[in-house]
Amino acid sequence: MAKIDSAYDYYVSTYGTQKASRYDSHKKSDLRKVYNQIVKTNKESPLYKISNMDEAKRYAIDIKENAKAIQNVVSALTDAKGGVADAFQKKVAVSSDESTVEVEYVGDGTENNNTNQFEIRVEKLATPQVNRGNALRPDGLSFTPGSYAFDLNTNTASYEFQYNVSAGETNEEVLNKLARLVNGSNLKINAEIEDTNDGRKALKLTSTQTGLHEKEAYLFDISPEASPGSMAAMNLLGINQVESQAANSTFYLNGREEHSLNNTFTINNAFELTLKAPNEGENTTSISFKANADAVADNIQELLDTYNHVLDTAEKYSEGKTAYQGRKLYTEVNAIASNKADELASIGLIQDEHGRLSVDREALAEAILPGRSEDTFNILANFRDSMEKEAEDMGVNPMNYVNKVVVEYKNPGKNFATPYISSIYSGMMLDNRV
């Protein structure tokens, strides 16, 4: 089980905090297609051994995540109506002051033109609820040894927490025990131990949610169990004390006052705004669209970033103990641009000596002028489609890029599908002894 755990630990620690994309959801037909591809690949795959299983698992996870990133960008640069130019000329929103408001365009191009530009002034950010406990000496024990309990109530449910204090424990150990108890409960409340100026320590609870509905009095409320011991322990802890209540954000859209429970929200289904800080005085932040040439360059840059990241991943696994592990992936991906180097350079996409691509924005701006734009967008579409095909191969069979020793080839054309081993990628999670 430890072999499996190590793979999932790597996945969670490396990719677990990534924000989900709207392109991560799929129709049943899409999933069926991927499954059939996996089964077909596995049906003809030879039996092989892998010398460095731990490294291979991490490499395969990196490959699949890179493939997913490419596929999401490709989906974003594919127009639903099939128009090549429209796909790469997708609107890109811009904020005049990203330190106060960040913006991302999330529309589909059908919104009204009256949403093309507006002004926003941030007066106050949405804030979480904070409960701060009493400061205790870390090396002493203020609690009487015994068993205690308290209730933590949210607006939707109530939870009981029980904890023990043993003789010989310190206040710091008790606080750490309670912090782990709260953090492990998945209640969207973050518990941490804070140091005070006089060397004491206090338990601080902060909600991950911000803002309050009109009929809500709190996001969470803490009360001790109705026993003298638990009430005395809570008086020592003090985590039932609200230091600051949750509050909604306040901002002005074109002079009209608005409020939001969160600091991230959508305007007219076109702009996703993230409030970062209040504006100074009466200053406002302008939200608008970038010029066409800049928008095209930014859209292409997203695709190039995923391309370059695959090369970085391949190179990482081509050094030290994993030498040559990533050469196959590097060679295949690098060939996508190398085989089209002259075409790409003619529209401002330059490949350096290491294979990385960058955008010459001036050359690209000239390439999308009338008279050249059709050829330019066709070149971009061909490059995008080649990237998509490579990402599909990477996602279906990442173990194809791992160094391995073939033990036995299957009899071509006379094999049966093995639905219970739907992918060699799942097989790599098994213990080496299997």
Side-chain angles (χ1 to χ4, degrees):
M1 192 64 186
K3 296 292 182 181
I4 301 176
D5 288 344
S6 66
Y8 287 114
D9 286 344
Y10 176 75
Y11 175 79
V12 171
S13 62
T14 308
Y15 300 103
T17 58
Q18 287 188 351
K19 183 180 178 181
S21 165
R22 58 175 169 166
Y23 300 107
D24 287 328
S25 59
H26 303 279
K27 298 181 293 185
K28 289 183 180 179
S29 58
D30 296 329
L31 300 177
R32 188 180 298 112
K33 176 184 176 182
V34 173
Y35 172 78
N36 289 335
Q37 290 173 322
I38 291 174
V39 172
K40 181 180 179 181
T41 299
N42 186 69
K43 182 179 178 182
E44 303 297 335
S45 178
L47 178 66
Y48 54 76
K49 288 184 177 181
I50 298 173
S51 58
N52 191 339
M53 181 62 79
D54 287 337
E55 197 69 32
K57 287 185 292 188
R58 290 191 289 270
Y59 187 29
I61 290 172
D62 288 343
I63 290 174
K64 288 184 74 71
E65 288 300 311
N66 274 279
K68 187 178 75 170
I70 293 171
Q71 290 168 331
N72 287 347
V73 172
V74 167
S75 296
L77 295 179
T78 302
D79 187 69
K81 298 179 181 178
V84 174
D86 291 340
F88 286 97
Q89 294 181 107
K90 184 185 69 171
K91 295 178 179 178
V92 175
V94 60
S95 167
S96 63
D97 183 4
E98 292 193 349
S99 65
T100 59
V101 182
E102 290 183 353
V103 61
E104 180 181 357
Y105 175 66
V106 294
D108 58 6
T110 61
E111 59 276 349
N112 295 328
N113 289 332
N114 58 10
T115 63
N116 282 355
Q117 183 173 353
F118 57 89
E119 302 290 322
I120 180 172
R121 179 171 69 84
V122 182
E123 183 174 287
K124 183 178 65 174
L125 297 181
T127 55
Q129 178 179 331
V130 178
N131 283 27
R132 190 186 303 274
N134 298 322
L136 304 174
R137 290 186 56 184
D139 54 352
L141 180 60
S142 304
F143 302 87
T144 302
S147 298
Y148 306 103
F150 63 87
D151 293 328
L152 193 156
N153 305 303
T154 69
N155 291 302
T156 58
S158 180
Y159 306 87
E160 182 183 35
F161 289 86
Q162 298 179 347
Y163 62 101
N164 297 317
V165 176
S166 303
E169 281 189 305
T170 64
N171 289 329
E172 184 174 10
E173 290 173 334
V174 174
L175 294 181
N176 283 321
K177 182 190 299 182
L178 289 171
R180 291 193 299 270
L181 191 63
V182 173
N183 289 332
S185 63
N186 295 321
L187 292 181
K188 297 184 178 180
I189 296 174
N190 179 51
E192 58 182 324
I193 309 299
E194 285 199 337
D195 296 322
T196 60
N197 294 331
D198 59 358
R200 297 172 183 257
K201 293 182 181 292
L203 181 59
K204 175 184 174 184
L205 305 181
T206 306
S207 64
T208 57
Q209 182 181 340
T210 58
L212 278 175
H213 288 285
E214 291 181 1
K215 298 182 179 180
E216 292 179 339
Y218 54 79
L219 291 180
F220 66 90
D221 176 68
I222 296 176
S223 58
E225 182 185 63
S227 67
S230 291
M231 288 189 286
M234 183 57 66
N235 287 335
L236 282 170
L237 281 172
I239 56 174
N240 56 337
Q241 302 169 150
V242 179
E243 180 181 76
S244 59
Q245 191 56 273
N248 299 338
S249 64
T250 300
F251 55 94
Y252 294 83
L253 286 178
N254 291 334
R256 185 181 70 252
E257 183 175 346
E258 301 284 355
H259 303 274
S260 172
L261 295 173
N262 305 304
N263 290 315
T264 299
F265 50 87
T266 302
I267 301 294
N268 296 329
N269 296 319
F271 299 93
E272 183 180 88
L273 302 183
T274 299
L275 308 185
K276 306 295 289 185
N279 288 95
E280 295 183 3
E282 297 298 316
N283 293 338
T284 62
T285 301
S286 297
I287 305 298
S288 59
F289 287 118
K290 286 192 174 183
N292 184 54
D294 289 334
V296 173
D298 284 355
N299 289 326
I300 294 172
Q301 187 63 58
E302 286 190 38
L303 186 61
L304 299 191
D305 287 344
T306 60
Y307 172 88
N308 293 335
H309 195 269
V310 175
L311 294 184
D312 292 339
T313 299
E315 282 200 344
K316 182 177 74 172
Y317 289 93
S318 301
E319 301 171 351
K321 294 181 180 179
T322 58
Y324 304 109
Q325 185 90 304
R327 297 313 301 172
K328 177 178 174 62
L329 178 62
Y330 181 90
T331 301
E332 288 189 9
V333 175
N334 182 60
I336 295 174
S338 297
N339 293 338
K340 301 179 174 66
D342 292 338
E343 283 186 336
L344 294 176
S346 69
I347 62 172
L349 273 61
I350 311 302
Q351 186 177 34
D352 65 19
E353 64 273 17
H354 302 292
R356 272 67 171 178
L357 289 171
S358 60
V359 180
D360 182 336
R361 290 180 175 251
E362 292 184 4
L364 179 64
E366 294 181 5
I368 61 174
L369 291 174
R372 291 188 59 192
S373 61
E374 183 176 354
D375 289 340
T376 297
F377 289 123
N378 284 332
I379 292 172
L380 290 172
N382 288 334
F383 175 70
R384 175 201 63 192
D385 295 343
S386 297
M387 285 286 293
E388 181 180 28
K389 178 62 173 65
E390 185 65 29
E392 184 178 291
D393 294 341
M394 291 163 56
V396 167
N397 188 16
M399 301 305 285
N400 182 46
Y401 303 90
V402 173
N403 282 349
K404 47 192 176 290
V405 176
V406 175
V407 176
E408 181 182 15
Y409 287 99
K410 295 179 181 178
N411 193 359
K414 297 182 180 180
N415 296 306
F416 296 98
T418 51
Y420 295 105
I421 310 175
S422 59
S423 171
I424 298 300
Y425 173 61
S426 63
M428 77 178 183
M429 295 292 191
L430 298 178
D431 193 287
N432 283 335
R433 293 171 294 180
V434 176

